[in-house]
Amino acid sequence: MEKKLCDMFYIMKPNQNITIVGAGVVGLSIAYELSKVFDGEINLLEKNEKISDDNQSTRNSGVIHAGIYYDQRIMPKKAAFCVTGNRLLYEFCATYKVAHKRVGKFVVATSPDEIDYLADTLRIARENNVPDVRMVDTGFVKKYEPNINCIAALYCPSSGVIDPVGYLKKLHGLVKQNHAAIYTKSHVIDILPQKQGFKVTVQSGDHLETFDTDIIINCAGLNSDIIATLVNPENPYEIIPMKGEAVKFLRTQNPDLFTSGMNIYPTPHGVYPEKGGKANLLFAEFEKLYLKGLIKKTLGVHLTPLVQKDQTAQVTLSDEISIGPAMSADCGKQSYAHTFDKNYYVQRVRSFFPHISEAHLDFYQTGILAMAKGQPDFVIEKDPNHENFINLIGIDSPGLTSSLAIGKYVCEIVKTIYQ
Ligand SMILES: Cc1cc2nc3c(=O)[nH]c(=O)nc-3n(C[C@H](O)[C@H](O)[C@H](O)COP(=O)(O)OP(=O)(O)OC[C@H]3O[C@@H](n4cnc5c(N)ncnc54)[C@H](O)[C@@H]3O)c2cc1C
């Protein structure tokens, strides 16, 4: 790709180099944005053998979130990046033919206690400028999704689904095309700050290699806390791996299970951060605890269709609908085994999807979220002692949706380093 000298955003540093640790959608989005404007060297280091091997970016729900859950008082970055990222991701998918569909979403309330939670979700959506979200009644829901039960719902047309691996591979191709170098099987095991820049040690099999770099961008997902600590032993952030498991069913196997393929979510509710489990609180009590950081909000176990490309490369909704995620902490960073039984999922969704039973379900996938302990928002900042070291820590959901917006934001941070 040709970089234009007249581009006002162009960063002319031909002798400089930037190293990005981690080639998930976030590292790749940053490399993609930087490769359009930076004329130095960009090196992306990935410990996995293949870009499509296990990480958060290959094992997620594939929902293009609209931005209705992220309260600006608590999660300003998630609020901003999700809404911008949603728009950028649809544009990207349309331009580069990544399988996706703007299926829309219902967030459904099934009991009167949930109405205040739903109203608060609408408030957040409006404050975040999410387009066209509105409260609808049961009749409206039934027109689109006759098998869904509720007493009221939020309708959110800008929510969608994407093939996350297809997106990752497309980013990978573009980054390579723009002459950024991507090294797989390259595990960063040490970083030594120098007078200027850093000495990075990479392990590839039995082979160790050390090289110098001017700027490091830490996008190491579940290991982002370890990478941050290599540079600054005082790094305050810790990653808590959180497993999210899912099952799936065929929407065409039985008329009672048919869905048109919208994202169907329960009303968000509180969970206790330490002991877990649903907090059955009236909204006013929940909000008090939530604003003090004493309770977390969860989106709940939901129905999400899978997208696929057929033989003619047309994007269609698959007949398969996933149900998840069933969340659990203390899972470690590597363990992808299923731990919840099928009845767990039936119990979670039967208030709004009453005809589902264990016999309809197959196990689908598990993924592990990189949550930062005590940090509800994305952490994206320079290390306080090393201004040319940028940390991205706790890039959990909606990181897939936000990735392109994060890429542009980090580009701006890099410019401040070179100013
Ligand atoms: C179950 C689940 C469901 C989700 N659902 C959604 C959703 O529906 N919508 C949404 O928007 N988001 C969703 N997310 C969140 C989204 O997937 C993540 O926010 C996003 O993929 C994060 O991308 P990343 O590049 O930061 O991290 P990752 O994809 O984890 O990539 C980090 C990379 O760093 C590499 N790495 C680590 N350590 C080193 C090292 N020392 N040296 C070199 N490389 C290293 C890893 O191998 C990995 O490839 C979900 C996540 C999960 C787990």
Side-chain angles (χ1 to χ4, degrees), residues 22 24 26 46-47 55-57 61 63 187-188 223 395-396 399 401:
V26 172
E46 169 53 54
K47 71 174 171 50
N55 59 20
Q56 295 178 92
S57 301
S61 310
V63 175
H187 194 156
V188 174
N223 291 342
I395 313 297
D396 55 27
T401 310

Side-chain angles (χ1 to χ4, degrees), residues 21-27 45-48 54-65 186-188 219-223 227 244 265 325 367-369 395-402:
V21 185
V25 288
V26 172
L45 305 175
E46 169 53 54
K47 71 174 171 50
N48 288 342
D54 297 337
N55 59 20
Q56 295 178 92
S57 301
T58 56
R59 289 172 165 264
N60 57 62
S61 310
V63 175
I64 302 179
H65 285 291
S186 298
H187 194 156
V188 174
C219 305
L222 287 161
N223 291 342
I227 296 292
Y265 278 59
I368 304 175
L369 276 164
I395 313 297
D396 55 27
S397 191
L400 174 70
T401 310
S402 308

Side-chain angles (χ1 to χ4, degrees), residues 309-358:
K309 275 190 183 163
D310 67 15
Q311 285 142 343
T312 62
Q314 287 296 312
V315 176
T316 55
L317 284 186
S318 153
D319 281 345
E320 292 178 324
I321 305 284
S322 72
I323 305 184
M327 306 295 290
S328 57
D330 301 328
C331 58
K333 294 182 176 179
Q334 304 277 350
S335 154
Y336 289 105
H338 280 275
T339 54
F340 288 90
D341 61 21
K342 291 176 182 171
N343 184 45
Y344 179 86
Y345 300 90
V346 174
Q347 296 308 321
R348 294 280 84 71
V349 302
R350 75 171 178 187
S351 63
F352 59 91
F353 194 50
H355 300 293
I356 195 81
S357 74
E358 288 177 56

Side-chain angles (χ1 to χ4, degrees), residues 278-292:
K278 184 172 182 177
N280 288 312
L281 298 171
L282 291 179
F283 178 73
E285 183 61 17
F286 160 80
E287 196 183 32
K288 252 190 271 167
L289 297 174
Y290 185 55
L291 292 175
K292 288 184 191 155

Side-chain angles (χ1 to χ4, degrees), residues 341-387:
D341 61 21
K342 291 176 182 171
N343 184 45
Y344 179 86
Y345 300 90
V346 174
Q347 296 308 321
R348 294 280 84 71
V349 302
R350 75 171 178 187
S351 63
F352 59 91
F353 194 50
H355 300 293
I356 195 81
S357 74
E358 288 177 56
H360 301 125
L361 301 178
D362 286 317
F363 288 108
Y364 170 43
Q365 71 164 10
T366 63
I368 304 175
L369 276 164
M371 289 193 166
K373 189 175 182 180
Q375 300 294 326
D377 206 2
F378 297 146
V379 176
I380 306 177
E381 61 191 27
K382 294 175 186 170
D383 179 86
N385 301 336
H386 303 282
E387 101 120 8

